[in-house]
Amino acid sequence: MTFRVLIEQVRALVASAVESAGYPKLDFDVSEPPRKEFGDLTCNVAFQMSKQAKKAPQKIAGELIERIKPQQDSFVLSAEPHPAGYINFRANYAKLSTTTLAQVLKNPDSYGYYDSGKGSHVIIEHTSVNPNKALHVGHMRNVILGDALYRIMKATNHRTTVLNYVDDSGLQVADIVVGFKFAGMKTEPPGGKKFDQYCGDEVYVKINEMYEKDKELAEMRKLVLKEIEEGKSEIARFAANITMRVLQEQLKTCWRMKARYDLLNFESHIVVSKLWSRAFELLKKNNIARFEAEGKNKGCWVIEAQGEEDKVIVRSDGTATYIAKDIPYAAWKLGLVDDPFSYAKYQNQWDDSMLYRTTLGGESATDRKFNGGDRVTTIIDSRQARLQRIISQVLSQMGTSGREYLHLGYEAVTLSSATAKSMGIDIGERESTHMSGRKGIYVNADYVLDTLHAKAYEEVKTRNPEFSEQQLNAIAEEIAISAIRYNMVRQDLDKMITFDVKESLSLEGDTGPYLQYAYARSQRILEKSGRQVDSKARFELLTHESEVALIKEIAKLDLVFEDAARSLSPKSLARYAYSLATAFNLFYEKVPVLKEENAGVLMARLALVSAFGVALKNALTTLGITALERM
RNA sequence: GGGCUCGUAGCUCAGCAUGGACAGAGCGAACGCCUCCUAAGCGUUAGGUCGAGGGUUCGAAUCCCUCCGGGCCCGCCA
């Protein structure tokens, strides 16, 4: 919180100087300067004023500086004008250090968490992988992004509900059912293969190949789909069973990545619940949907989409289209329609929370409300942006009474040419290729985790030969998760990730394990010191450049959480964690802690190391990365 | 054809919302640093017409326009 206060104090000083000098109020920026010689904060107010005041920035800065007199006990030490026109400020390090470290050590478990949510309810949907295949790297980006967002929302005091939509009545499920029922494929995977992988890698790929040659088989999927939608036949029961088996395996992978959910929404329940017809009534009542008596959409119900062709939502045969199915679900999320579902327990999760699933009829196993969020965020890749925009538009026409529907899109994950080649896929001159479940062009999530695990295992073992198998595996697993999680979240959402197996195995530099390593180093210092950290140590003794820099980073955590929540940007949190870890590694290099002979300085440094650990751990936890004591 | 999006060092990316002080990291390359808290670390050097051109501005990687190049989306499929 202290960096925030420092900024506020500088703002106040500048604002009052502007006022007392007789200038009108105006907006100005207070930020960190590009070079440390310019101090800790800089203000561009003189530039902003120069036009109106018809004076050179340097002159204004000179005028204002006379009126900027920091209080004795404030975080601001001094202000000075720079010939370029900036007003630069220096922080009172003794005060900043003392206050920051005391704050961290007093409430380590909640340090940095910032109440920007005020308890408002956010609903986040992510994962939502068709239950006919295993997750691949592309899905990993979705899961990791969604889970990080959930954690950020929690850290900023939002009430959170995480949904995972299960499309159990779609064509993709029908496809593997055709494979099992009409193409003679076995329902038990060979050699103990994971069931989701078996269905995706073999059944789904093969049946799509068979469709090419066998048109009758291709016709079967429509019949199967119809039976699944009606939900009563033997085929439907068989499909439901297959879906549940795949889903359970998918969840294992998600849980392995340390994601968790509150509710599984089954599409079939939305279909049967008549949620659609209720939403459709609303659309008709509000004149959002229109019946076409003639033209190319004759006999269909359509909605107008801004700047686009009309969208058909009900076909001339009376069935609903894909986008139409999303509308009632979205309306349910926002609480615009009565909740038709009951809720049953599905399974307890790794974080000891209960995962529920929708059911129809009967008593609910919980009183909890899963819908009606103040804000609903749906995480799907940006290929769906167009449809999502139409859904938002329709919802706002229905009247969301202040509630917000947001699509958080991200670019796809593609495979590098090297990785594609290693899988026997020739992509010619191209640098990367899009994945395709149908064609079997993808890298499985479990494979990525296993490969990373194996690599990390060797690394940990060389460094810690005395560790037991169990310890080695536990640590290797955490490193694997951190590597992939950090990798998926560190870059901008609208940038494609070209996944390369070999590159992903890097555990050095700007990676998750680098962060964990900095943490492990800090914990070893504390352990070896054999002392208790004293939150009342003499922090003003921490005057080394690298000590001050580290304290400043620690002091910014709440600003980072606030920003990450506001801009829905796990990336900014990842960037921060990296610079925090770098600040620590610099300190580690320059300032020996355990060798220090002055007891007062030693205690102050230990407290700093401890505070660093707290800040980094809280940042890592929010990214879904485990802070390791040893690695 | 229309819409969205990306283009910054050899490679992967920050910075762009709210324009400002010599454009920053990581990887890769070369060379250094473990009698000292784990070298998964730290440092030095080399490497940039911020895709191109125009405009706005005292000032543009950042805002606007045009163009070029890559990706995606535009179905009574899902």
Side-chain angles (χ1 to χ4, degrees):
Chain A
M1 286 296 278
T2 49
F3 208 84
R4 180 187 298 271
V5 178
L6 173 63
I7 292 172
E8 281 165 4
Q9 287 182 351
V10 166
R11 281 196 162 280
L13 281 170
V14 173
S16 81
V18 169
E19 196 189 343
S20 81
Y23 290 106
K25 271 191 185 171
L26 80 163
D27 282 334
F28 54 85
D29 198 41
V30 173
S31 59
E32 288 188 85
R35 284 192 285 164
K36 54 177 181 289
E37 302 94 272
F38 300 145
D40 300 296
L41 285 177
T42 188
C43 182
N44 69 347
V45 69
F47 291 96
Q48 303 301 326
M49 290 165 69
S50 72
K51 193 160 198 178
Q52 267 253 306
K54 296 204 171 73
K55 285 184 196 167
Q58 300 94 303
K59 206 167 167 218
I60 299 171
E63 264 178 68
L64 293 179
I65 205 79
E66 296 303 317
R67 299 166 185 277
I68 296 176
K69 297 278 176 266
Q71 303 268 311
Q72 266 294 298
D73 65 337
S74 89
F75 285 108
V76 186
L77 181 70
S78 63
E80 62 203 54
H82 185 275
Y86 293 93
I87 302 176
N88 294 332
F89 294 82
R90 287 180 195 281
N92 178 344
Y93 292 146
K95 167 98 176 172
L96 188 72
S97 305
T98 307
T99 317
T100 305
L101 298 185
Q103 224 173 64
V104 180
L105 298 172
K106 194 177 164 203
N107 291 309
D109 293 338
S110 61
Y111 175 71
Y113 297 155
Y114 186 76
D115 183 6
S116 52
K118 310 268 189 267
S120 65
H121 186 192
V122 296
I123 293 176
I124 297 168
E125 181 202 325
H126 67 81
T127 305
S128 305
V129 180
N130 274 310
N132 72 320
K133 56 156 121 24
L135 274 73
H136 63 234
V137 265
H139 300 124
M140 287 176 115
R141 188 175 194 178
N142 187 300
V143 174
I144 289 165
L145 174 60
D147 187 66
L149 189 66
Y150 146 75
R151 289 164 184 265
I152 287 166
M153 288 303 154
K154 219 173 56 164
T156 46
N157 193 30
H158 293 83
R159 199 187 128 208
T160 53
T161 301
V162 181
L163 310 177
N164 182 358
Y165 184 77
V166 183
D167 185 0
D168 58 343
S169 57
L171 257 185
Q172 298 205 11
V173 168
D175 285 331
I176 59 169
V177 169
V178 171
F180 289 128
K181 283 285 182 187
F182 304 102
M185 299 184 202
K186 295 193 165 58
T187 52
E188 290 311 314
K193 188 167 181 172
K194 222 165 156 269
F195 190 66
D196 55 344
Q197 291 179 15
Y198 169 64
C199 289
D201 300 354
E202 298 183 31
V203 182
Y204 187 56
V205 172
K206 268 188 213 151
I207 196 70
N208 272 293
E209 283 168 7
M210 292 170 87
Y211 287 158
E212 301 278 316
K213 299 186 200 102
D214 189 340
K215 294 297 163 203
E216 272 180 46
L217 206 55
E219 285 302 306
M220 288 306 293
R221 68 206 291 240
K222 288 183 191 156
L223 289 173
V224 168
L225 183 62
K226 195 153 177 272
E227 297 224 10
I228 292 173
E229 278 181 359
E230 284 167 2
K232 296 202 175 100
S233 63
E234 192 271 330
I235 295 262
R237 280 192 298 277
F238 176 82
N241 180 266
I242 294 288
T243 297
M244 294 309 277
R245 280 177 72 187
V246 173
L247 175 62
Q248 179 61 22
E249 292 302 319
Q250 288 181 338
L251 285 170
K252 278 186 196 163
T253 305
C254 298
W255 286 328
R256 185 178 174 191
M257 290 189 274
K258 298 280 163 64
R260 43 84 59 203
Y261 310 86
D262 293 295
L263 180 67
L264 300 170
N265 278 84
F266 287 89
E267 178 172 90
S268 59
H269 296 161
I270 294 178
V271 173
V272 178
S273 70
K274 307 288 179 225
L275 200 54
W276 160 245
S277 39
R278 288 188 230 181
F280 191 34
E281 285 311 310
L282 270 176
L283 292 178
K284 286 194 261 191
K285 204 174 80 187
N286 292 305
N287 290 320
I288 300 164
R290 184 182 76 228
F291 185 74
E292 293 286 86
E294 52 193 33
K296 70 168 190 164
N297 293 328
K298 186 178 176 185
C300 299
W301 285 86
V302 301
I303 49 178
E304 280 175 35
Q306 280 165 357
E308 304 198 31
E309 302 259 307
D310 291 346
K311 274 282 169 204
V312 172
I313 56 167
V314 176
R315 302 182 186 101
S316 50
D317 67 0
T319 57
T321 60
Y322 172 69
I323 183 169
K325 287 184 193 165
D326 268 359
I327 293 171
Y329 178 43
W332 169 85
K333 287 176 177 173
L334 280 170
L336 306 184
V337 288
D338 292 336
D339 186 0
F341 305 122
S342 299
Y343 301 94
K345 288 180 178 175
Y346 179 78
Q347 206 171 313
N348 209 37
Q349 303 178 92
W350 57 269
D351 68 339
D352 213 31
S353 69
M354 181 55 66
L355 173 59
Y356 291 91
R357 61 186 174 88
T358 53
T359 62
L360 290 169
E363 286 281 297
S364 273
T366 175
D367 292 336
R368 176 169 179 175
K369 264 191 80 72
F370 293 94
N371 69 336
D374 298 302
R375 183 161 80 202
V376 170
T377 305
T378 304
I379 297 172
I380 330 179
D381 74 73
S382 40
R383 281 174 291 198
Q384 303 269 3
R386 212 186 188 106
L387 291 180
Q388 286 292 318
R389 211 173 302 130
I390 294 170
I391 290 169
S392 303
Q393 180 207 316
V394 167
L395 290 172
S396 68
Q397 285 172 343
M398 285 166 88
T400 55
S401 55
R403 291 166 182 196
E404 193 184 1
Y405 184 88
L406 253 172
H407 167 223
L408 187 62
Y410 58 92
E411 282 296 318
V413 179
T414 60
L415 299 181
S416 73
S417 62
T419 293
K421 264 179 209 140
S422 74
M423 296 167 61
I425 302 154
D426 180 29
I427 64 167
E429 291 301 297
R430 313 177 66 154
E431 287 176 355
S432 67
T433 183
H434 281 270
M435 287 185 272
S436 162
R438 198 173 303 246
K439 293 180 189 155
I441 302 173
Y442 51 81
V443 176
N444 273 326
D446 294 305
Y447 170 81
V448 172
L449 290 166
D450 290 343
T451 314
L452 277 167
H453 180 112
K455 170 90 185 279
Y457 178 95
E458 290 309 320
E459 298 283 335
V460 182
K461 193 168 183 176
T462 45
R463 289 169 178 78
N464 306 280
E466 77 281 10
F467 279 3
S468 70
E469 280 299 297
Q470 200 191 351
Q471 276 176 302
L472 290 171
N473 277 312
I475 293 168
E477 183 72 0
E478 293 297 352
I479 293 172
I481 293 163
S482 116
I484 192 67
R485 284 195 78 128
Y486 187 78
N487 202 258
M488 286 293 165
V489 119
R490 61 185 269 259
Q491 76 186 248
D492 206 84
L493 298 186
D494 41 36
K495 245 161 196 152
M496 233 165 55
I497 292 181
T498 304
F499 185 82
D500 184 88
V501 173
K502 208 173 144 197
E503 235 173 69
S504 78
L505 288 175
S506 164
L507 308 177
E508 289 163 23
D510 192 3
T511 65
Y514 173 93
L515 308 177
Q516 291 176 307
Y517 182 63
Y519 182 82
R521 279 177 141 187
S522 72
Q523 296 313 292
R524 289 288 280 164
I525 293 175
L526 297 175
E527 187 191 322
K528 287 197 170 176
S529 78
R531 292 169 189 256
Q532 280 296 309
V533 166
D534 182 1
S535 64
K536 293 189 188 64
R538 295 177 53 205
F539 301 122
E540 72 277 9
L541 297 174
L542 301 171
T543 53
H544 189 276
E545 195 184 327
S546 68
E547 291 173 325
V548 173
L550 181 54
I551 292 164
K552 275 164 67 180
E553 282 305 311
I554 294 171
K556 286 178 205 163
L557 183 55
D558 63 303
L559 290 168
V560 176
F561 276 130
E562 183 189 18
D563 177 63
R566 192 189 59 240
S567 48
L568 307 179
S569 168
K571 177 188 68 176
S572 8
L573 182 55
R575 294 276 155 206
Y576 167 78
Y578 180 68
S579 63
L580 179 61
T582 300
F584 176 78
N585 278 331
L586 232 61
F587 160 80
Y588 185 95
E589 202 69 25
K590 296 271 164 62
V591 182
V593 176
L594 297 181
K595 279 205 313 192
E596 177 57 46
E597 288 173 5
N598 180 315
V601 174
L602 173 65
M603 288 312 286
R605 286 190 182 152
L606 285 174
L608 172 56
V609 171
S610 173
F612 157 74
V614 168
L616 184 60
K617 185 178 190 173
N618 290 353
L620 289 181
T621 303
T622 309
L623 289 169
I625 295 174
T626 302
L628 295 171
E629 303 294 316
R630 298 279 298 262
M631 66 186 278

